[in-house]
Each structure stands twice: as C-alpha cells, then as structure tokens.
Amino acid sequence: MNQMSYVPQQPPPLPSLPATFSGARSEFFRLVSRGAAIELITLGFYRFWLATDIRRHLWVNTAVDGDAAEYTGRGKELLIGFLFAMAILVPIYLAYFLITVEAERFKAFASVPLLISFYAFGQFAIYRARRYRLTRTVWRGIRFWMDGSGWAYAGRAMLWTLLAVVTLGIAWPWRTAALERYKMRHSHYGNLQGDFEGRGWELFKQVWYLWLIAPFAMVLFPLYPFVYAQLKAVEWRWWVSGIRFGGVRLDSTLPNSAFYGLYWKIIGWMMLLVVVFVLYVVGAFALVATLLGGGTGAKQMQAVANHIGLLVPLGIGYVAIILAANVVMRLYLVRDVWATVLASVQVHGIEAMADVAAKGDLASALGEGFADGLDVAGF
C-alpha cells in the first residue's frame, strides 16, 4: 500500500465581524454639556480634559469581537504639550504680525512665505497629533503606535496641495490617497504594520459629479448640505474600506445618504442658537437702556452700547453661545458620525491579530499642542 503523506489542514478563516458602538447618546450629551459649562468657568482651559474624556468615551464604547478599545491619554499631557507649543508659536505669531505690517507698508508680499510656512507647520502638527492619539490607543492589551517623519508628511502635503490647486481640485482625491497611504504605512498595531489600499481614482469616480454640482449648491443653499453630506459619506466609506493591518482589513457599507439628517439637524440648531443670541442681545440692550433712562436719541443709544453693564453680559453671552454651538457640533459631528460610521464597518481576518507582539513607544503631546495652537486639531 502506498502511504499517503499527511498535509495539515489550514483552519478556515473566521467570518467577518461587525464593529460596534455602545455609548449612550444621553451620556455623551451630559459629558459635553458639563464640559462646556466648566470651559466657561475656566476660560477654556478645561478643553484639554474634555477632549480626553470625549476620546475615552468613544474608544471604550467601540468594540470588535467583544473587546473594547482603551484610550490612555491624559488632559495634563495635552495642557503641557499646548504650553510648550505656545512657547514656540507665540514668537512666530508676533514675528508674522510685524512682518505683515511692514509688508503692507511697502506694498510687498513678504508675508506670503510665512503663510506657506504656517500651512506646512499645520500639516506637521496634524501628523504628530495623530501619532500621539495612536500611541494612546490600546486594544487587547496591545498598543497602536506610529513612526515616520512629520516633516516628510508636511512636504508631501505641500506638493499635493499645490497640484490640487493647479488642477482646480481635481487632484484632491489622489492627494488624500497618497497622504493616507503614508500615514497608514507608518502606523502599527504591535508588530503588525498598517497599510492603505484606497486609490485616488476610486474616490474620484464616486465624487466627480459633486465637483460639478458644488458651484450651484453654494448658490442654492438648500442643496449644499446634501452635497457636502454625501461627499463626507463617500470619503468615510472609501477611507474605512482602504485600511489594512497585516491580514486584517476593514470594509464599510455606509450609504451616501448617511449624514443628510445629521447636517440638517446641525443647521437647525445653529439657526435656533442665533435666534436665541439675538433675543438675548436685544433684551440686554433694552434692560440697560431702561436702567440708564434719559430718552431714546442717538447719544443715549451710544451710551448704552458702550456701557460696561451691557458689554460684560454680551461677552458672557457670546462665549456661552459659542460653547453651546460646540456642544451641538460635538454631539452630531463627533459622536453621531462616529456611531453611524461604525455601524457600517465589518472587520475581516481578525485572526491575524491573535499572535501580535507588543512594540512601539509613547509619543509626546507636543504635536497635539501644535495642532491645538494652529486650530487643526481633531479626534
């Protein structure tokens, strides 16, 4: 009898698994509302702890295969990073202001190189901020981490942005794909390297007609929220579906209409806040005018407008309305977008993460501080 050689059978791949989000909307609303109130009291300094609490809420309620992620960043780290960044950025801002004044005096364009430098610095900050957030993200006890150069990323972003400007935005999908590819190829989960397989042409095919509609949408406002919401839905679906970590890949079935309702709700809330603020200003003005008395002439109106009894409430009201707008933005554009996207995500090849070894070091919060100071921070 011929002996048959034994060939070990490979176990079949596991079925795809959904990503889940279990965070209660009411809990998130209380978190950001309380945070906005503390921001008002602390003149905005609480935002570092609020950003940390928001990330912790989103991360810990996001799970794959029953295991939730963990965010280990701290508000104190963000504050220290911001203060260090400000120590560098404030002299640059001052020099920029002085040079701009001189440039206007001599009708020159000396400020243009500074504007370009600030854009490049902003791209550097975006990369380093992502690196910080990634190294504070843990799943199944293994840390994500990131290497690569922030300045190399900024250089690529500058060149691709220039090409996008020259092509009137047509090259933007290719710019997005190239930059995402650089970020993902320098992202790791333990010893598992990331990659990005999304292609600019794939994104362009799905959004090219939105470029044609956009000019008309800007004129016909009711059309614009639909166009922008569909663009963001397509971008999210394309981006998620391109993510890879070794043999693990993500897939999204997010529909084009996923964000229509969210953007219209934001518009409705913003209009309501504007109405409330206008009524508040009118009421405060009428109250101060009544307390001062003395008629309704132009001098009386000017006296009321410049009175400290009106300026202080207006300042407080302005800050309060901005914080209220931030609550709305965080609720709809952070929490609800996060939950909506995750509901569409399937994870394939999760078994590739079974034998991952821990690797990578923590990154400082300085990059996040730069991003905050340049107003390019994100989640």
Side-chain angles (χ1 to χ4, degrees), residues 169-170 173-174 200-215 227 230-231 234:
I170 293 176
W174 284 269
W201 175 246
E202 296 171 357
L203 179 58
F204 179 77
K205 287 190 299 183
Q206 299 179 68
V207 300
W208 66 268
Y209 61 93
L210 297 177
W211 260 268
L212 301 180
I213 300 174
V227 173
Q230 183 166 330
L231 174 63
V234 171

Side-chain angles (χ1 to χ4, degrees), residues 125-143:
I126 288 172
Y127 189 87
R128 291 299 299 269
R130 173 190 165 98
R131 183 176 179 180
Y132 168 81
R133 293 190 295 271
L134 206 61
T135 60
R136 265 63 177 183
T137 301
V138 178
W139 187 68
R140 287 182 173 175
I142 303 295
R143 185 184 309 279

Side-chain angles (χ1 to χ4, degrees), residues 282-302:
V282 171
F285 192 93
L287 179 60
V288 174
T290 301
L291 294 175
L292 290 179
T296 58
K299 288 186 177 179
Q300 174 69 5
M301 300 288 283
Q302 185 176 2

Side-chain angles (χ1 to χ4, degrees), residues 277-292 300-318:
F277 184 65
V278 169
L279 293 176
Y280 173 81
V281 171
V282 171
F285 192 93
L287 179 60
V288 174
T290 301
L291 294 175
L292 290 179
Q300 174 69 5
M301 300 288 283
Q302 185 176 2
V304 173
N306 295 327
H307 197 274
I308 188 67
L310 178 64
L311 296 179
V312 171
L314 286 187
I316 296 174
Y318 176 77

Side-chain angles (χ1 to χ4, degrees), residues 3-277:
Q3 293 184 347
M4 298 179 63
S5 59
Y6 173 73
V7 178
Q9 297 294 319
Q10 295 293 331
L14 295 176
S16 61
L17 299 169
T20 60
F21 182 73
S22 58
R25 200 167 187 272
S26 57
E27 180 185 349
F28 186 85
F29 177 74
R30 287 194 297 270
L31 187 154
V32 294
S33 299
R34 178 181 61 86
I38 301 176
E39 278 188 293
L40 180 61
I41 297 171
T42 61
L43 302 178
F45 270 91
Y46 185 70
R47 71 180 185 272
F48 307 106
W49 285 266
L50 178 57
T52 299
D53 289 341
I54 290 173
R55 291 171 187 169
R56 190 170 292 124
H57 174 88
L58 296 177
W59 268 239
V60 78
N61 287 295
T62 299
V64 177
D65 197 20
D67 294 313
E70 180 184 359
Y71 181 74
T72 62
R74 295 180 298 163
K76 183 179 178 181
E77 291 177 336
L78 298 183
L79 174 60
I80 294 173
F82 175 76
L83 294 177
F84 272 110
M86 285 297 97
I88 298 172
L89 290 177
V90 168
I92 296 176
Y93 277 123
L94 181 60
Y96 169 69
F97 172 76
L98 295 175
I99 292 176
T100 301
V101 171
E102 264 329 277
E104 288 297 324
R105 179 181 173 185
F106 293 103
K107 305 297 182 183
F109 296 94
S111 62
V112 173
L114 275 175
L115 289 173
I116 296 174
S117 299
F118 265 65
Y119 180 79
F121 202 57
Q123 297 301 312
F124 166 82
I126 288 172
Y127 189 87
R128 291 299 299 269
R130 173 190 165 98
R131 183 176 179 180
Y132 168 81
R133 293 190 295 271
L134 206 61
T135 60
R136 265 63 177 183
T137 301
V138 178
W139 187 68
R140 287 182 173 175
I142 303 295
R143 185 184 309 279
F144 288 85
W145 58 284
M146 194 172 181
D147 55 12
S149 168
W151 290 118
Y153 175 84
R156 286 170 168 80
M158 292 286 290
L159 293 175
W160 275 106
T161 301
L162 177 61
L163 182 60
V165 171
V166 171
T167 59
L168 301 178
I170 293 176
W172 196 263
W174 284 269
R175 174 192 183 276
T176 304
L179 296 182
E180 287 298 332
R181 194 169 301 114
Y182 182 85
K183 286 187 287 189
M184 283 303 303
R185 287 179 178 176
H186 290 282
S187 300
H188 307 263
Y189 173 67
N191 61 351
L192 208 61
Q193 184 176 4
D195 198 1
F196 185 74
E197 295 188 359
R199 296 293 181 264
W201 175 246
E202 296 171 357
L203 179 58
F204 179 77
K205 287 190 299 183
Q206 299 179 68
V207 300
W208 66 268
Y209 61 93
L210 297 177
W211 260 268
L212 301 180
I213 300 174
F216 302 99
M218 292 179 181
V219 177
L220 303 172
F221 174 75
L223 182 62
Y224 184 76
F226 290 106
V227 173
Y228 187 74
Q230 183 166 330
L231 174 63
K232 299 308 294 183
V234 171
E235 284 182 340
W236 271 105
R237 184 176 63 241
W238 169 82
W239 177 72
V240 170
S241 299
I243 294 176
R244 304 288 185 271
F245 275 99
V248 182
R249 67 181 180 88
L250 273 59
D251 184 41
S252 172
T253 57
L254 191 70
N256 289 355
S257 59
F259 300 145
Y260 287 168
L262 293 182
Y263 280 92
W264 276 109
K265 288 176 183 177
I266 292 172
I267 292 171
W269 275 107
M270 291 305 174
M271 292 177 66
L272 178 61
L273 290 175
V274 169
V275 171
V276 169
F277 184 65

